[in-house]
């Protein structure tokens, strides 16, 4: 598989790059600062580009089987990084003729499937604390859904830096109930498997530790 990763130096993105290379996939990592990319190998291509550089992004996604946007905010300040990435990815894929796009969002802004306490107590608190990041993800999802691409939106809960466990629960009809975190390595594992799963085209999937 040939894949392009946006946000390749972030927590999830770097795990995607590492696992994809280990599995023998050809990886194009789009980064702003290549010094933060801790990966190497013959199967790795590094593209230094800003999200605003449409031509460079189009070239980076051309001829790829899948593009994974794993961008995310690093703090609680106002942000549009996920939205900007989604908009840039949709435009670049459209120009390149590439069809498959996976967007990493989050389960936090959404309550479908949640238990009563989570829906009515936990989520309202999270919504205030993380309101900027949540608004960014909701806007990004709208952009991806409005496209004619073969997209999949993946919504993990709280992200942790633990090891790859392979214990992943997934739902397409709401959030995973009773599980509120997942290791970034497991998110990467799921993304790589979902990339090749045609049943997940135009689906939104919530995942969590299984």
């Amino acid at each position: 598989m040939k894949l392009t990763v946006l946000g390749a130096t972030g927590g999830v993105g770097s795990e995607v790059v590492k696992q994809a290379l280990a599995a023998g996939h050809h990886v194009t990592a789009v980064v702003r600062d290549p010094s933060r990319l801790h990966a190497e190998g013959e199967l790795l291509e590094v593209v230094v580009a800003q999200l605003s550089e449409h031509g460079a992004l189009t070239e980076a996604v051309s001829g790829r089987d899948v593009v994974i946007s794993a961008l995310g905010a690093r703090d609680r300040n106002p942000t549009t990084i996920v939205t900007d990435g989604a908009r840039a990815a949709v435009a670049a894929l459209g120009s390149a003729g590439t069809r498959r796009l996976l967007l990493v969002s989050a389960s936090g802004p959404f309550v479908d499937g949640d238990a009563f306490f989570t829906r009515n107590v936990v989520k309202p608190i999270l919504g205030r604390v993380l309101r900027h990041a949540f608004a960014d993800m909701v806007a990004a999802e709208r952009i991806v859904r409005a496209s004619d691409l073969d997209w999949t939106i993946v919504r993990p809960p709280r992200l942790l830096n633990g090891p790859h466990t392979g214990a992943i629960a997934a739902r397409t009809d709401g959030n995973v109930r009773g599980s509120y975190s997942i290791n970034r390595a497991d998110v990467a594992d799921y993304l790589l498997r979902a990339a090749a799963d045609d049943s997940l085209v135009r689906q939104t999937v919530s995942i969590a530790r299984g």
Side-chain angles (χ1 to χ4, degrees), residues 107 112-114 169-171 174-180 206-209:
S107 62
D112 288 349
D114 286 339
R171 285 184 63 182
N175 291 331
V176 176
R177 191 174 283 203
S179 185
Y180 309 109
S206 289
I207 63 173
R209 187 193 305 270

Side-chain angles (χ1 to χ4, degrees), residues 45-67:
E45 176 185 359
V46 180
V47 174
V48 180
Q50 302 289 330
L51 293 176
S52 59
E53 297 181 66
H54 177 72
L57 291 181
T58 298
E59 184 174 348
V61 305
S62 181
R64 291 354 183 240
D65 299 302
V66 61
V67 176

Side-chain angles (χ1 to χ4, degrees), residues 6 51 57 69 71 80-90 101 103 140:
L6 305 183
L51 293 176
L57 291 181
S69 180
L71 295 158
T80 58
I81 183 64
V82 184
T83 305
D84 294 343
R87 185 178 293 110
V90 168
L101 173 64
L103 173 74

Side-chain angles (χ1 to χ4, degrees), residues 4-83:
T4 296
V5 182
L6 305 183
T9 60
V12 171
S14 61
E15 283 289 342
V16 172
V17 171
K18 180 175 72 174
Q19 292 183 31
L21 291 173
H25 300 306
H26 182 282
V27 179
T28 299
V30 179
V31 300
R32 289 180 294 179
D33 181 3
S35 68
R36 296 182 57 239
L37 182 65
H38 304 297
E40 58 184 15
E42 294 181 355
L43 295 174
L44 176 65
E45 176 185 359
V46 180
V47 174
V48 180
Q50 302 289 330
L51 293 176
S52 59
E53 297 181 66
H54 177 72
L57 291 181
T58 298
E59 184 174 348
V61 305
S62 181
R64 291 354 183 240
D65 299 302
V66 61
V67 176
I68 297 176
S69 180
L71 295 158
R74 297 184 180 277
D75 53 43
R76 297 177 182 176
N77 293 324
T79 180
T80 58
I81 183 64
V82 184
T83 305

Side-chain angles (χ1 to χ4, degrees), residues 11 15 18-19 158-166 181-187 209:
E15 283 289 342
K18 180 175 72 174
Q19 292 183 31
R158 185 166 66 102
L159 297 172
L160 303 176
N161 286 325
H164 176 218
T165 70
S181 65
I182 190 170
N183 293 345
R184 289 177 173 87
D186 286 322
V187 177
R209 187 193 305 270

Side-chain angles (χ1 to χ4, degrees), residues 190-207:
Y190 185 83
L191 290 167
L192 290 172
R193 289 190 282 114
D197 188 344
D198 290 342
S199 71
L200 295 177
V201 170
R202 293 187 164 265
Q203 293 284 335
T204 299
V205 189
S206 289
I207 63 173

